[in-house]
Amino acid sequence: MISPLSPTRRPENKRLWSRPKISDGPTGTGHKVSFSGSSKGSKSSHEHGPSDNSASSRSSSPNVSPQTPKLWQDNQTWQKINRKNEALWQEDIPSPEIQQPRPFHIYHDSFLPLLGPSPTLQLLISDSRAPYFHEAGVYHPATSTLFVTSNQIPDPSPDAATTSHKTIVITKIEFFSPTDFTRDKVRCPERNYMVNGGANYKDGLVLCAQGSLNEPAGLIYMEAKRPHKTTTLINNYHSRPFNSPNDVVVHSDGAIWFTDPIYGYEQGFRPKPRLPQHIYRFNPTTGDIRAMADGFGRPNGLCFSPDEQTLYITDTDSIHCSSSPQNPSSPSSPNISQTRASTIYAYSVLHDPVTQSPFLTNRRLFAYADTGAPDGIKCDVHGNVYAGCGDGVNVWNSGGVLIGKVLIEGGCANFCFGRRGEIFCFGETKLWRVQMGDGTRGAVLGI
């Protein structure tokens, strides 16, 4: 169990930020302004108790100079020992006193009420051993637990031969307060086969299983509580194998929508694709699986607007991977092009007047990320659109206007909303916690 960090009381006469002075024109006209101040680990006004409510390019922001964090109490480390008495988790716990450089940038005044009076950016965990904080990001309210999937980690074991000796780890973090938590590895009875994106589903999670050279890709259901039993929901499109499902969202009617790019093949752990890179809708009740949209370079994240009349889909075509089973000598580092899509598209969700089956129409370019590529994507209850990009979390209003950014050193592939203005951001080896205004809540949970 990770020992709790003692919250530091913020001096009453010192604000975490001050209103920016406008010098080159009003906000909203392209002039970047920011709050000043720090992100001390101040005690949150909310509790994390049980509730009754059910790969971007990495580049540091030009406006933020990376700082070397000072470790709390002379680099004291905390360990969680697994069943075999091995040091399974050992991480440096950053001090609540660490100063963060001006992370909140305002492009439009409508970002101010989302931030609230005292926004903070806090580094919860820094673990340089492996990129444990990469994708999925599912907050389970009933257990106050955050589930996160890692990026690919080298695995020399014989069992990992079918995934090109790579593995992906699921981490769960159970919160008792904003700075008091335990961290553990999810031990599924079955192999997870390179899981990536995830979403809240029933009493647990639905996860994208990217598959391996031998095992099929598809969607799996995982129970949120031990022993985290998994069940395959679907693993083929009318007998043809999926590519490598990347991200997933659940509609209020129970249907599961997911993206299916070819990253698994490019990264050497999936066979040659036999399907286009589609967006799919799966009905678990009837077993119906439909292709809903195509025409993407690399479809990635997706989310619905709060009224579910708009579907947002990110296209990370700017990031290609060079390695494949047919070309193993190629470098495994991403092939990045600034002339390919780093784009969010919006679709209108309509329904057939006879069958009431949904379909997508009116595709339009909603936004283009200026740094890196938009990976994970979420909406808040007000209809604003958040995306993890190369410089952090970018926020647009429902009209496609960039209204603000939360700058995070090294970028942020994905993130998820917690409780009452809380956002957990994943920076590969770092887990960040953003505290915004109390009314800034995720559209999926609304808590």
Side-chain angles (χ1 to χ4, degrees), residues 102-331:
R102 305 189 179 191
F104 303 100
H105 280 217
I106 304 166
Y107 291 77
H108 192 276
D109 285 343
S110 59
F111 194 48
L112 289 168
L114 299 179
L115 290 174
S118 301
T120 59
L121 172 63
Q122 181 184 19
L123 181 59
L124 290 182
I125 299 174
S126 179
D127 189 343
S128 60
R129 294 173 306 147
Y132 291 115
F133 311 107
H134 179 61
E135 282 279 5
V138 180
Y139 183 77
H140 189 253
T143 58
S144 298
T145 302
L146 174 68
F147 293 87
V148 189
T149 58
S150 72
N151 208 329
Q152 296 173 28
I153 300 173
D155 184 353
S157 67
D159 291 341
T162 60
T163 56
S164 296
H165 291 287
K166 307 167 189 173
T167 191
I168 288 178
V169 174
I170 304 175
T171 297
K172 69 173 184 178
I173 301 170
E174 184 177 1
F175 286 92
F176 306 101
S177 79
T179 54
D180 181 5
F181 53 86
T182 60
R183 174 187 175 191
D184 202 358
K185 177 181 177 180
V186 172
R187 305 174 188 278
C188 300
E190 301 85 5
R191 293 197 55 173
N192 60 50
Y193 294 111
M194 309 296 280
V195 296
N196 198 67
N200 298 88
Y201 182 61
K202 295 184 176 180
D203 295 328
L205 301 78
V206 57
L207 296 168
C208 293
Q210 298 181 92
S212 68
L213 293 174
N214 294 340
E215 297 296 326
L219 301 178
I220 60 174
Y221 171 73
M222 186 182 80
E223 296 178 354
K225 298 180 180 179
R226 289 185 177 89
H228 303 294
K229 182 179 179 180
T230 58
T231 304
T232 299
L233 300 177
I234 187 170
N235 61 13
N236 67 88
Y237 177 80
H238 300 292
S239 77
R240 292 170 64 180
F242 293 119
N243 299 320
S244 48
N246 188 277
D247 207 355
V248 59
V249 65
V250 180
H251 193 276
S252 62
D253 65 5
I256 303 173
W257 298 61
F258 61 99
T259 59
D260 189 32
I262 62 170
Y263 280 128
Y265 170 71
E266 288 188 324
Q267 294 167 3
F269 63 86
R270 285 292 289 151
K272 186 175 181 180
R274 293 177 56 194
L275 284 169
Q277 300 181 90
H278 285 150
I279 311 301
Y280 292 98
R281 177 185 184 269
F282 171 60
N283 186 333
T285 302
T286 65
D288 175 60
I289 177 71
R290 293 175 53 199
M292 303 298 294
D294 61 6
F296 296 89
R298 298 291 184 275
N300 202 312
L302 75 171
C303 75
F304 286 101
S305 60
D307 61 8
E308 298 183 327
Q309 295 184 14
T310 303
L311 177 65
Y312 299 99
I313 304 172
T314 66
D315 190 342
T316 52
D317 192 34
S318 62
I319 304 174
H320 289 188
C321 296
S322 302
S323 64
S324 70
Q326 284 68 35
N327 193 13
S329 61
S330 297

